[in-house]
Amino acid sequence: MKKNTILIVIGKDAPMDDLAKKLETLRTVSAHVVILIVGEMPAFPYYAVGIDTFGTTDVPGDWSGEVASHKAVLDDKAKDVRTLLQQHDVSGEVSTVACEPALMADAVARRAMLCDMAIISDDLRDPDTLFRQAVHGVLFQSPVGVVLNDPTAEAMTAPKRVFVAWNTQLHSARALHQALPMLRQADEVVIAMVDPVMSEFRDGEDPGVDVAKWLTHHGCNVVVATYPSGGKDIGTCILDRAKEAGADLIVMGAYGHSRTRETIFGGTTKTLISQTDQVVFLAH
């Protein structure tokens, strides 16, 4: 039996009701679920370490207690999640990881390597340190894409109208290829281009038509649309046009510019990751 493997990354405070909705949806498509419960390790108090000549490291006892307590909370959450998997009759596995935020991307990426898609839970957004690291781990260190803002997983498994934010860059093509299983299920796929440059060496003389032709070979019902930005930033324009089109899923290639540039100056990817109103599938 063929099954897609879906990675779901949640925190220790993730609402069980939201996870139950995702599992019920994924059960209907016979997906195998890999649930990773992540937590931030309490910071080691380096300032409290005193090492004399030829001495040993002095580890404060309260720090060790905090670490043990934190791991116990994650383990208790894992037990609850395993029970939930059994209740919903979903094939799956559960694991936990607690580490410094800088190491979280590696931990998430290792699980995503052998999955077909990843979902990052919204409960990790506050604070967003682990959320950003989890998203970056999937995008930059794994071969799969990530779904955000889909509390029931319905838009991921059975979208009605998909809004593809398209340009002719490599990251956009990768996102389109990885989203193809979802596009095939959609009633309509909108290939959207904002301020396209209609030249042979940019977006083509008839932007989006070549992509639409390729998707029709896969049985997709495709509409091509071009939009002026009207002075708005591209990310806001994509969100506004997708909402007007009634799309329940936005597909976009992430980070056409470097992470450093997007962090300092902002950018389209940062805009779509930061918002919480519309479901987004991103791939790099």
Side-chain angles (χ1 to χ4, degrees), residues 22-193:
K22 290 185 178 71
L23 294 180
E24 188 59 27
T25 300
L26 294 173
R27 181 184 66 81
T28 62
V29 295
S30 299
H32 180 78
V33 180
V34 176
I35 300 177
L36 177 64
I37 307 170
V38 301
E40 183 176 347
M41 181 73 75
F44 187 84
Y46 293 99
Y47 61 87
V49 176
I51 304 178
D52 297 326
T53 304
F54 305 111
T56 58
T57 303
D58 179 20
V59 179
D62 55 349
W63 177 80
S64 300
E66 286 183 27
V67 171
S69 176
H70 191 76
K71 289 183 176 180
V73 170
L74 292 179
D75 290 340
D76 289 342
K77 187 73 171 184
K79 292 178 183 177
D80 293 340
V81 172
R82 290 189 183 98
T83 300
L84 198 65
L85 283 172
Q86 293 177 354
Q87 291 174 348
H88 288 269
D89 193 25
V90 175
S91 169
E93 54 198 84
V94 183
S95 60
T96 65
V97 60
C99 61
E100 298 177 7
L103 302 177
M104 188 57 65
D106 291 335
V108 173
R110 282 198 299 272
R111 273 73 174 188
M113 286 285 188
L114 300 179
C115 293
D116 299 293
M117 195 177 298
I119 302 174
I120 309 296
S121 176
D122 278 347
D123 72 280
L124 292 174
R125 286 186 180 272
D126 187 23
D128 70 346
T129 306
L130 294 183
F131 181 83
R132 286 186 285 106
Q133 290 296 324
V135 171
H136 290 166
V138 175
L139 290 178
F140 291 101
Q141 297 173 234
S142 85
V144 302
V146 61
V147 176
L148 307 177
N149 309 324
D150 194 1
T152 63
E154 290 182 355
M156 182 195 75
T157 56
K160 300 300 182 184
R161 180 173 286 109
V162 181
F163 189 92
V164 178
W166 173 254
N167 60 34
T168 54
Q169 295 184 24
L170 178 59
H171 63 287
S172 292
R174 284 174 174 160
L176 196 64
H177 278 268
Q178 292 182 26
L180 194 55
M182 294 182 289
L183 301 182
R184 287 172 175 153
Q185 298 179 51
D187 294 337
E188 184 178 74
V189 177
V190 179
I191 301 297
M193 307 189 71

Side-chain angles (χ1 to χ4, degrees), residues 220-261:
C220 299
N221 178 29
V222 187
V223 175
V224 178
T226 59
Y227 303 99
S229 62
K232 295 182 180 180
D233 66 85
I234 302 300
T236 301
C237 186
I238 290 172
L239 292 171
D240 289 346
R241 300 292 85 79
K243 185 175 293 185
E244 289 176 1
D248 49 3
L249 176 66
I250 298 173
V251 172
M252 191 185 81
Y255 289 107
H257 303 296
S258 69
R259 276 183 286 178
T260 302
R261 177 173 171 176

